[in-house]
Amino acid sequence: RAGACVRSQVDTLLCAAQRSMRYDARSLSLLALGVLLPLAAAAEPLDAERAAFREAYAEAERGAWALTPAQRELLGDYVLWPDLRAAYLRATLGRVPDAEVRAFLERHGDLKPARELRYRFALSLAERGLHDEFLALYHRHYESLEIERLDCLALAAKLADGLPASLPARARELWLVGHSQVAECDTVFTRLTNAGLIDEELYRQRFALAIDGRELAMARYLSRSLTDEHRREAANWTRAVGLPREFLAENVPEKDSDSYRRQLVAAIERLAYDDPQLAAERWRSLAGGYAFSKARRDFVARHVTLWLARHHAAGAYEALLALPESAVDAEVRRWRARSGLREHAWPGVLEHIASLPPGERDSAQWQYWRAIAMQQAGHPGAEPILSGLAAERSYYGFLAADALGRDYDFSHSDLPADEALLERLAGMPALVRARELFRVGLEGRGRSEWDAAVRRLDADARLQAAVLAHRWGWHSRAIATAADGEQYDDLNIRYPLPFAEAFAEHARAASVSPSWALGVARSESLFMADVRSPAGAIGVMQVMPGTGRLTARELQMDWHGRVTLTDPAANIRLGTWFLGRMQERFANNPVLATAAYNAGPLRVEAWLPQRTALDARIWIETIPYAETRRYVRRVLTADTIFAWRLAGRPGRLSARLPEIPAAAPRVAAVRAGSGPAAPN
């Protein structure tokens, strides 16, 4: 190993540290003998080990273990050796001797790759019918964790030895949920049902839970074991939720019952998402014909009226004001204020803001709009409010400074570095592992290990961990760790400049500013190259695969699916080009282009004002979806800060807020949203 390690002083120390971690973790010190962290970062030690690991790991995940002598020499003491071996064992469970797996778990059981392997090993034992071995592992590690898959496998293993006299408590808990359970539970439920231990009453209880949770496919399945009435109820619920227009058109007063009234309310609720005006009409026509409770009447009135406001329908503001007090909640008060902004009803805006809960009323958001409404209504006292806000580094702080003609107050200050503490942190085994996972491209695994390790640190050490992650170039962890410590003023950490050449080159080619592209990337992913959103967007700029494929074709780029999207430079090229396309589509309006990057251009076109152009600040404030509303503000704020970081002087945020034009007639009929999203 000495020959492999000695490439520089730093490399030698790092290799020694990894050997220490293997044999004596307490003695680990990556920066012994006074070697500074910046030197370690600049030297990029262990490149050979990392390259060998990447190559071997890809093979291990495919179940191949064919390390060359050179790879064994490089990797024998490498900190991620357990990850490599665990990947191979995961891929070959049932083929490698179980004793080999157990030996690995005994040696490395506290490491995350071993915990993952143990879970897969438990599944493998169950699948192979090794019930005693599975149950021994289950009782030792999983019995109290309420992991449905393993719990059902354990019940199945126990049932293989004979049925119990009564329904096991855990089986009852697993049954009484309103959604489909994991497939491993099917065998258990079938055997218990056949034995009469899951009876009709339990079916009725689960049917009710499925209806309440709107899991209608599950309700229909359960109804097969119940009465014709249950089957009709499941069918009615399916029509109410799936075809609300048709269901409401067929309303039958003589069917008045609690169940039918609930179905009518559900249909109105669902219809309001797409067509609140029709929902309001249908509600007016049927509300008097049924014995709806006051609570249900208030719910429907509030729900439909809020969706009228979110769709900016004519008369929505008046409808909000007309709601009975029993139907008014904080969300209604917010939308009264927002709709008042669109109507320029400035005295009303002041009244609505005053009605908000105190903590919310005093936020920068509503204090800014209070000051603007005071100015517009001719009331004194706006300037002190704006002056206080202008001292903040935020969206509303920048807007307040613009209103007063003041310079922005960025309040940047470096987090002080404690070199001794940084050295100790850099030598912590858990953080060394996290760093190496990041370096070899297993960033998601690295994030998980970093976060778990940092949670165990005290407050001072956490802040130094943010400094350390920044020095390592691990910006997502630096940003998140600093924020967890409520330290927001080190803008080098919170607004870093990674992939600088790629952003400069590709933003210029797409005719967008690098600061804007950086703001989008930070808001989308915190610069994580591998992250995938629930919707399927991938990489630094969170590009959807379909969008990436079409954009790559337009740019005549090679396209290799996820491989392309997880390459930072390629992802930035695709993302900036799409951002430029949105800028073109919306006539160089960065507000609309930013919103379209998040919500899609069709929704943004549907959100355009229908009558006259609108102040961009008000348009942003009244975007129907809370996620997009926050996103646009966040990107514009980050754009301003990145512009300051790149050029030393920011442009005015207000200059990036051109008036929002009225929709063209062809767009006016397009409806926002297509399902039950939950904006606020």
Side-chain angles (χ1 to χ4, degrees), residues 245-453:
R245 286 177 175 82
E246 291 82 348
F247 184 83
L248 291 167
E250 299 166 0
N251 76 86
V252 184
E254 55 268 26
K255 289 176 61 177
D256 195 358
S257 67
D258 182 66
S259 177
Y260 190 57
R261 290 192 295 272
R262 289 170 62 210
Q263 291 163 14
L264 290 170
V265 168
I268 292 287
E269 180 183 359
R270 183 62 64 129
L271 180 59
Y273 294 128
D274 294 324
D275 196 336
Q277 290 170 311
L278 180 59
E281 293 169 12
R282 291 285 186 266
W283 178 242
R284 283 193 295 270
S285 69
L286 63 85
Y290 299 89
F292 292 108
S293 68
K294 182 168 176 37
R296 280 193 183 138
R297 291 177 185 276
D298 285 346
F299 168 79
V300 173
R302 178 171 57 248
H303 179 78
V304 171
T305 305
L306 282 170
W307 276 97
L308 286 169
R310 289 170 183 140
H311 281 242
H312 311 307
Y317 182 48
E318 291 76 12
L320 284 165
L321 297 180
L323 281 171
E325 189 58 32
S326 56
V328 173
D329 62 5
E331 184 68 352
V332 169
R333 298 180 197 281
R334 293 182 196 108
W335 275 99
R336 281 175 172 176
R338 291 183 183 125
S339 297
L341 290 174
R342 287 183 78 101
E343 298 293 330
H344 296 170
W346 303 113
V349 169
L350 289 171
E351 179 183 337
H352 305 321
I353 292 173
S355 74
L356 292 170
E360 186 172 358
R361 181 180 64 220
D362 297 335
S363 67
Q365 173 187 11
W366 293 115
Q367 285 303 297
Y368 173 78
W369 285 112
R370 176 171 172 250
I372 297 303
M374 290 169 72
Q375 287 181 333
Q376 295 295 326
H379 297 175
E383 186 167 337
I385 298 172
L386 293 171
S387 184
L389 292 172
E392 298 181 8
R393 183 186 58 247
S394 68
Y395 174 78
Y396 295 104
F398 294 152
L399 288 180
D402 287 348
L404 298 171
R406 293 186 186 175
D407 291 337
Y408 293 163
D409 186 354
F410 287 100
S411 301
H412 165 70
S413 62
D414 293 323
L415 270 175
D418 181 337
E419 297 296 340
L421 180 51
L422 283 166
E423 181 178 333
R424 290 197 296 275
L425 290 172
M428 282 181 58
L431 294 187
V432 173
R433 279 186 48 77
R435 181 206 64 204
E436 287 305 301
L437 288 165
F438 168 57
R439 288 280 188 257
V440 300
L442 298 176
E443 187 175 351
R445 290 177 176 273
R447 286 192 298 271
S448 176
E449 298 214 14
W450 171 278
D451 292 346

Side-chain angles (χ1 to χ4, degrees), residues 29 128 340 521 616 675:
S29 174
R128 287 182 279 149

Side-chain angles (χ1 to χ4, degrees), residues 353-644:
I353 292 173
S355 74
L356 292 170
E360 186 172 358
R361 181 180 64 220
D362 297 335
S363 67
Q365 173 187 11
W366 293 115
Q367 285 303 297
Y368 173 78
W369 285 112
R370 176 171 172 250
I372 297 303
M374 290 169 72
Q375 287 181 333
Q376 295 295 326
H379 297 175
E383 186 167 337
I385 298 172
L386 293 171
S387 184
L389 292 172
E392 298 181 8
R393 183 186 58 247
S394 68
Y395 174 78
Y396 295 104
F398 294 152
L399 288 180
D402 287 348
L404 298 171
R406 293 186 186 175
D407 291 337
Y408 293 163
D409 186 354
F410 287 100
S411 301
H412 165 70
S413 62
D414 293 323
L415 270 175
D418 181 337
E419 297 296 340
L421 180 51
L422 283 166
E423 181 178 333
R424 290 197 296 275
L425 290 172
M428 282 181 58
L431 294 187
V432 173
R433 279 186 48 77
R435 181 206 64 204
E436 287 305 301
L437 288 165
F438 168 57
R439 288 280 188 257
V440 300
L442 298 176
E443 187 175 351
R445 290 177 176 273
R447 286 192 298 271
S448 176
E449 298 214 14
W450 171 278
D451 292 346
V454 167
R455 277 195 297 270
R456 295 192 291 268
L457 299 175
D458 62 33
D460 290 340
R462 280 196 206 109
L463 294 182
Q464 293 304 303
V467 175
L468 182 63
H470 182 67
R471 290 184 177 185
W472 286 347
W474 200 355
H475 299 297
S476 72
R477 296 308 88 201
I479 295 168
T481 305
D484 286 344
E486 298 184 351
Q487 294 295 318
Y488 305 110
D489 291 337
D490 190 330
L491 300 187
N492 294 325
I493 289 178
R494 296 197 62 234
Y495 292 86
L497 302 172
F499 316 119
E501 291 183 5
F503 275 110
E505 176 187 352
H506 299 313
R508 182 172 58 251
S511 300
V512 302
S513 69
S515 61
W516 186 21
L518 282 161
V520 168
R522 184 188 186 277
S523 300
E524 291 282 354
S525 72
L526 291 184
F527 304 109
M528 291 181 276
D530 67 323
V531 70
R532 182 187 182 97
S533 77
I538 296 171
V540 173
M541 295 194 71
Q542 289 289 276
V543 178
M544 292 293 289
T547 300
R549 183 176 61 255
L550 294 174
T551 307
R553 184 183 305 161
E554 185 178 354
L555 291 169
Q556 297 184 328
M557 275 177 62
D558 289 338
W559 173 253
H560 304 290
R562 183 176 175 83
V563 172
T564 300
L565 292 178
T566 54
D567 175 73
N571 189 286
I572 291 166
R573 186 181 181 191
L574 294 168
T576 52
W577 193 260
F578 182 73
L579 186 62
R581 281 287 180 262
M582 294 300 97
Q583 182 173 244
E584 280 183 23
R585 180 166 181 161
F586 291 101
N588 295 316
N589 189 308
V591 172
L592 297 177
T594 300
Y597 197 95
N598 176 261
L602 291 178
R603 278 200 176 99
V604 171
E605 287 172 347
W607 295 340
L608 294 176
Q610 300 302 307
R611 292 167 288 175
T612 59
L614 189 64
D615 185 320
R617 297 170 302 166
I618 295 175
W619 186 84
I620 292 168
E621 210 64 48
T622 57
I623 290 173
Y625 294 146
E627 177 192 342
T628 304
R629 197 184 316 134
R630 290 191 294 264
Y631 177 86
V632 171
R633 293 192 299 239
R634 190 167 63 245
V635 169
L636 293 172
T637 304
D639 181 6
T640 303
I641 295 171
F642 280 122
W644 173 72

